[in-house]
Amino acid sequence: MPRLTWQKSSYSGSGQDDCLEVTPHPGGPILYREGDHPTTVGRATAPSWAAFLRAVKADRCAAGFR
């Protein structure tokens, strides 16, 4: 597997470990991880990742949202 370049969320402050990092996987899914758990990597399709980003930007990811 080629070396991946992770991009930290623009919402993360400098020096924080509790941030979301993401990288496109060449020819495959979007990969994401939390900065404080870098060995645990999630996968998302491009359409599901886009839906997630829309929900975050619309502030629909708060705890208890229905």
Side-chain angles (χ1 to χ4, degrees):
M1 177 186 265
R3 179 167 160 69
L4 300 174
T5 302
W6 293 92
Q7 179 182 355
K8 188 181 289 191
S9 167
S10 60
Y11 288 96
S12 300
S14 62
Q16 292 179 334
D17 288 335
D18 57 344
C19 61
L20 184 66
E21 298 174 327
V22 64
T23 187
H25 187 258
I30 305 295
L31 303 178
Y32 60 92
R33 67 184 184 184
E34 287 191 42
D36 56 346
H37 297 285
T39 59
T40 303
V41 177
R43 298 171 184 259
T45 63
S48 65
W49 186 254
F52 168 71
L53 292 179
R54 283 191 302 274
V56 169
K57 290 177 183 179
D59 200 24
R60 294 192 321 246
C61 293
F65 177 78
R66 296 193 188 268

